[in-house]
Amino acid sequence: MISELENALKKNQPDFHKVVEFNPAKDKLYPFDFSSANHELTTDTIANTDAFSSYINQKLENKNCKYGIGGYNENRTLYRRSELFDEANRSIHLGIDIWGPADTKVYAPLGGMVHSFAFNNEFGDYGATLILLHQLESIAFHTLYGHLSLKDIAGLSEGAYISRGQVVGHFGEAKENGHWPPHLHFQIINEMNGWKGDYPGVAAITEREKYLANNPDADLILNMMKYVK
């Protein structure tokens, strides 16, 4: 069933600012698959951040793509690289990842305020994380930006106003983004349920439907997946 929030996002999609600089007339997107169907990605590659980064970069270069993208509701073997997910048997990705160069600018798609932020510094976690609170057609909801640069959360304050199109972050280097190849994890969250500076970006299969109901497809804001070739 389509939720009230999903309907509002679809209705207002043409008015959202792009989250990353992407021109569909000239830029290409590569659809990364991190499920068990991807036999190229070995356990050793996943476990080694440098090797994993080389894999990402080589794919983008070979396909002449500006960004790699994908992952919503994907059952990922990728998370075996970190005990953070493995112990809880979490593998269902709740956001969309955009893979690209470190320091790539990230923009607020619509106005709002800083809900919370944190440096989630465990191996495999978000690293520098920002959560914004928005209101759309009287509906309050949140957007989460994971794997940012530490400079992006320095000096922030909860409640600070954020304008549509404002630069709110940059793709972080591995040492500050949870030890991942540079990318943005972008997620829409309806209810935060008491979380601050963090919110699960990956769910257990047994809780898949519960979490997907609270985390609509991030492409409702990004509007980028239709350009994947």
Side-chain angles (χ1 to χ4, degrees):
M1 186 173 70
I2 303 298
S3 70
E4 188 179 12
L5 172 57
E6 288 172 303
N7 279 327
L9 292 171
K10 288 179 179 178
K11 179 181 175 182
N12 290 275
Q13 192 177 64
D15 297 325
F16 297 143
H17 192 279
K18 62 185 70 176
V19 173
V20 295
E21 287 290 346
F22 172 70
N23 182 351
K26 65 176 184 177
D27 298 329
K28 295 169 61 180
L29 297 172
Y30 181 78
F32 277 112
D33 178 354
F34 295 128
S35 73
S36 59
N38 184 349
H39 301 295
E40 293 182 331
L41 203 54
T42 67
T43 301
D44 288 343
T45 301
I46 292 171
N48 184 298
T49 302
D50 289 338
F52 190 14
S53 296
S54 294
Y55 172 84
I56 296 290
N57 294 336
Q58 196 65 56
K59 281 290 183 184
L60 297 181
E61 183 179 341
N62 289 347
K63 300 294 183 179
N64 193 29
C65 290
K66 184 168 185 177
Y67 302 114
I69 194 168
Y72 180 70
N73 193 22
E74 183 176 63
N75 187 8
R76 291 180 161 183
T77 56
L78 183 66
Y79 297 114
R80 294 174 188 165
R81 76 191 300 259
S82 172
E83 293 179 359
L84 183 69
F85 305 102
D86 201 38
E87 288 180 354
N89 200 26
R90 291 191 286 149
S91 62
I92 305 301
H93 194 241
L94 302 173
I96 286 180
D97 288 333
I98 304 174
W99 305 82
D103 211 38
T104 295
K105 291 180 180 177
V106 177
Y107 301 88
L110 69 165
M113 64 176 61
V114 175
H115 172 274
S116 53
F117 54 92
F119 185 35
N120 299 298
N121 196 30
E122 288 190 63
F123 182 86
D125 210 331
Y126 286 132
T129 313
L130 171 65
I131 300 170
L132 302 182
L133 169 63
H134 311 278
Q135 190 163 17
L136 188 65
E137 298 187 0
S138 301
I139 303 168
F141 72 99
H142 308 78
T143 52
L144 181 148
Y145 308 79
H147 311 292
L148 300 179
S149 171
L150 270 176
K151 66 185 179 184
D152 298 319
I153 61 174
L156 279 182
S157 58
E158 293 182 8
Y161 182 73
I162 301 294
S163 301
R164 175 187 178 277
Q166 181 176 334
V167 175
V168 294
H170 303 77
F171 292 14
E173 299 277 1
K175 64 183 179 182
E176 55 192 9
N177 78 0
H179 301 276
W180 292 90
H183 73 290
L184 171 71
H185 172 96
F186 179 73
Q187 186 169 334
I188 301 172
I189 306 167
N190 188 2
E191 299 288 344
M192 289 295 297
N193 297 319
W195 289 83
K196 291 187 71 175
D198 194 7
Y199 183 89
V202 185
I205 293 177
T206 54
E207 296 187 303
R208 184 180 214 157
E209 297 308 318
K210 180 184 80 171
Y211 274 100
L212 291 178
N214 194 48
N215 297 263
D217 188 347
D219 198 50
L220 289 169
I221 287 178
L222 292 175
N223 195 25
M224 292 174 70
M225 293 303 297
K226 66 185 179 184
Y227 298 112
V228 172
K229 303 299 184 182

